[in-house]
Amino acid sequence: MKLTVRSDLCRGHGRCYDLAEDFLEDDDEGFVTARGQTLDVPADQVEDVRNAAASCPEGAITILED
Amino acid sequence: MTELSANEDLKATGRVPSGCPVIHLDASPPLEVGSHWQKANELREESPAFFNTHAQGYWVFTRYDEVREMYQHPEIFSSESITPWEPDPVYRFVPTQIDPPDHSKYRQLISRWFAPNAITRIAPEAHEIGRRLVADLAPAGECDFVTDFAMRLPTEIFLTIIGVPGSDADLMGPWVEDFFAGFGGDLAQQEAMGAALGGIRQYWVEVLEARRGESAPRDNDFVSLLLHSEIDDEPLDDALILDILTVLVLAGLDTTRGQLGYLFRHLAEHPDDRNRLLAEPELIPSAVEESLRLYTIIFGDGRKVAQDTDFHGCPLNKGDMVYGLVSGANRDPRVYDRPDEFVVDRKANNHLGFAGGPHRCLGAHLARMVMRVAVEEWLKVIPAFEVASEEPLMERGGGAMLTLLSLPLRWEVPA
Ligand code: HEM
Ligand code: SF4
């Protein structure tokens, strides 16, 4: 599974790095550092990442299933 | 009790050519707690959009997707006015009423100060403040939560972050109360409201004077940082700095107070959820998010149409006002399972309680921390409590932010 964070949509709500705290991180302004990137999601992070994506108020996170 | 649907309010009284139902809804009077959310639910299930003939008339969007779209498209929905019944306000709050692209210049001045890293830095102090306030109240066995605790806690924590004495909450708290008493439209309160605004501004004038002329910014001192900041290679003028500081006070304290009141009313009335948080404190953050979703204090949020647009069948003209019912969106069954229930461990929660798009609440990370501190420190000392009122609780009208006018709580004091 992969995750993409759209940089034009992310507004730094921080829901994602709160819910998937072992996988996602925030920068100095509160945006997720993965903004604008596509990352491979490790198997043990899949559940947290799904919750994170479903909890982003901007709909900025897309999950790409394998 | 006043009913929001008094007269023919809820009934569609006519149709504009678009096919949008027409309503007449004035949400400003105080009502019994819960009435605003119920009204939002009814409107949302009746139609995704209405034309409301209140004031000069404005469009109302009731569902999640439309409200989010409104927030995410400032090129169509400008923040020039965010109060739909007042399309041409004489004031201009910064950064609230600045549209992109200028908006980000102002926002960047402030956003780092309220980013999660910065908030985490002061968390230990915030917990200390919370512990002290709870310890002061606990022996009495009762309090009015919204005035005795819910206003005091965010105010002290906020002042501490800014870098001024937390004890100045003695001044700031009453000013904020007076301001919002008048802001909801109560004419008898206008004078006190003006005086309160004057008091808040003068407070910041003095803080500013005490820091002027210093060669380097003080550590952990927001006002000093602003004095050393620039926009377009120019230092900020005093009026702008005062404006920003005043907006922070008005945006940050009454809101957090309102949200805390609803959360603690819920905990007082739902021992099962309270006990769950006692047993699993790691659920406190998710309970805080759920209170932001279910007990949304932003009944609705306004924008001004910047270009003619057809929006889901509504013919919007430049200059029209629109009102996104955030409280309707956050209980939209198209998005949430069990939308009207408080699900303490809700997993997927993308609520719009802190808005969305470029104006996403800048204090969201702070507000969350304050609320977590409140629940944690309160439950440690007062694990069981109840609402001490036979009368139904009342909430302020939805013209400003919703808040309980009073929340009497009582608990057993160990002998
Ligand atoms: C639970 C408490 C809070 C809620 C529900 C809340 C809600 C909101 C909402 C809905 C907006 C968007 C308004 C709009 O664009 O029309 C907003 C903006 C804002 N909030 Fe909050 N807020 C809360 C606490 C705070 C705190 C504690 C602070 C800071 C001390 C704060 C500072 C701001 C600022 C500066 C803006 C304007 C942001 C911009 O225009 O870019 N808020 N808030
Ligand atoms: S929750 Fe969404 S908006 Fe917030 S930081 Fe994560 S991706 Fe960005």
Side-chain angles (χ1 to χ4, degrees):
Chain A
M1 183 173 114
K2 289 188 171 53
L3 134 164
T4 310
V5 182
R6 272 180 61 176
S7 57
D8 58 329
L9 286 180
C10 172
R11 297 293 179 180
H13 287 260
R15 298 285 290 133
C16 59
Y17 52 78
D18 257 10
L19 290 166
E21 59 180 347
D22 297 330
F23 181 59
L24 297 172
E25 275 180 342
D26 56 315
D27 68 13
D28 272 358
E29 283 190 83
F31 295 105
V32 61
T33 53
R35 194 158 62 127
Q37 299 174 20
T38 300
L39 303 177
D40 279 314
V41 180
D44 64 342
Q45 296 296 316
V46 164
E47 198 192 329
D48 285 353
V49 166
R50 280 192 210 285
N51 289 336
S55 297
C56 172
E58 309 289 351
I61 304 179
T62 314
I63 287 188
L64 311 162
E65 304 290 348
D66 293 330
Chain B
M1 168 192 140
T2 348
E3 280 277 351
L4 210 48
S5 55
N7 317 325
E8 77 289 41
D9 285 351
L10 220 205
K11 280 258 139 281
T13 52
R15 298 201 163 250
V16 287
S18 65
C20 241
V22 175
I23 47 166
H24 183 78
L25 172 74
D26 173 4
S28 55
L31 296 170
E32 200 172 302
V33 57
S35 311
H36 289 90
W37 300 314
Q38 195 188 331
K39 169 59 61 180
N41 275 351
E42 286 166 21
L43 291 173
R44 186 194 57 236
E45 295 314 310
E46 191 179 327
S47 172
F50 291 91
F51 190 80
N52 186 2
T53 57
H54 172 234
Q56 84 293 342
Y58 48 86
W59 305 92
V60 179
F61 308 134
T62 62
R63 294 180 185 167
Y64 188 95
D65 287 352
E66 286 81 355
V67 173
R68 178 157 85 183
E69 219 175 317
M70 175 192 90
Y71 275 137
Q72 288 183 334
H73 290 280
E75 72 288 359
I76 301 174
F77 300 107
S78 157
S79 288
E80 192 182 316
S81 165
I82 61 166
T83 36
W85 44 87
E86 198 178 17
D88 301 298
V90 291
Y91 48 83
R92 194 188 65 149
F93 289 131
V94 180
T96 325
Q97 281 168 266
I98 312 287
D99 287 321
D102 281 349
H103 173 255
S104 62
K105 292 190 220 168
Y106 296 99
R107 187 148 166 133
Q108 275 164 8
L109 287 175
I110 326 173
S111 61
R112 272 167 210 271
W113 206 266
F114 295 96
N117 279 336
I119 299 304
T120 312
R121 173 175 64 77
I122 68 116
E125 267 176 281
H127 277 277
E128 219 168 279
I129 294 170
R131 270 195 295 277
R132 170 166 49 77
L133 295 180
V134 176
D136 286 350
L137 287 173
E142 60 175 11
C143 75
D144 184 342
F145 183 82
V146 296
T147 50
D148 299 341
F149 184 78
M151 188 56 139
R152 185 82 198 186
L153 180 74
T155 306
E156 282 203 32
I157 297 177
F158 169 77
L159 295 172
T160 305
I161 292 190
I162 297 294
V164 295
S167 54
D168 288 348
D170 291 342
L171 299 166
M172 207 54 92
W175 283 330
V176 172
E177 297 277 10
D178 284 352
F179 179 86
F180 282 100
F183 188 75
D186 185 342
L187 294 179
Q189 298 290 336
Q190 296 306 302
E191 203 173 311
M193 173 178 158
L197 201 54
I200 296 170
R201 254 186 123 76
Q202 186 56 33
Y203 177 87
W204 294 122
V205 166
E206 287 166 26
V207 172
L208 212 64
E209 285 318 315
R211 287 155 179 75
R212 202 186 295 283
E214 295 174 341
S215 57
R218 297 186 190 181
D219 279 348
N220 301 332
D221 187 311
F222 183 60
V223 179
S224 178
L225 174 86
L226 288 180
L227 273 169
H228 288 87
S229 298
E230 296 184 339
I231 285 192
D232 298 335
D233 302 319
E234 295 282 332
L236 313 187
D237 62 42
D238 281 8
L240 177 64
I241 297 180
L242 291 174
D243 211 33
I244 291 174
L245 292 167
T246 305
V247 165
L248 289 173
V249 169
L250 297 180
L253 307 185
D254 179 70
T255 43
T256 314
R257 180 264 294 272
Q259 202 67 62
L260 276 173
Y262 289 113
L263 174 55
F264 273 70
R265 166 178 159 265
H266 179 89
L267 295 177
E269 291 178 345
H270 296 84
D272 43 339
D273 283 341
R274 211 170 55 216
N275 291 332
R276 180 107 190 257
L277 294 183
L278 280 163
E280 300 168 70
E282 65 279 10
L283 288 178
I284 292 175
S286 104
V288 165
E289 291 311 316
E290 184 65 342
S291 84
L292 286 155
R293 183 193 72 79
L294 187 67
Y295 303 128
T296 305
I297 60 164
I298 313 290
F299 179 60
D301 206 349
R303 292 291 189 264
K304 189 167 184 170
V305 177
Q307 56 185 72
D308 293 356
T309 315
D310 183 87
F311 188 74
H312 302 282
C314 301
L316 309 182
N317 288 320
K318 184 171 181 202
D320 285 357
M321 291 302 299
V322 303
Y323 194 43
L325 280 194
V326 183
S327 48
N330 282 347
R331 292 176 177 222
D332 190 339
R334 294 155 197 80
V335 178
Y336 301 103
D337 291 334
R338 297 192 280 160
D340 294 308
E341 280 175 53
F342 190 98
V343 180
V344 81
D345 57 352
R346 189 179 286 280
K347 294 290 184 295
N349 190 350
N350 57 355
H351 69 80
L352 296 170
F354 288 126
H359 293 276
R360 185 271 294 167
C361 175
L362 209 134
H365 305 292
L366 169 60
R368 289 188 171 115
M369 185 268 276
V370 171
M371 293 174 70
R372 292 172 188 179
V373 165
V375 176
E376 237 180 278
E377 298 301 338
W378 183 282
L379 287 183
K380 271 188 220 160
V381 181
I382 309 173
F385 51 100
E386 60 182 12
V387 177
S389 171
E390 308 310 318
E391 306 285 310
L393 298 172
M394 299 295 287
E395 65 192 3
R396 190 170 69 197
M401 285 77 79
L402 301 177
T403 181
L404 292 171
L405 295 173
S406 148
L407 176 61
L409 293 180
R410 90 180 136 224
W411 56 90
E412 299 254 340
V413 181

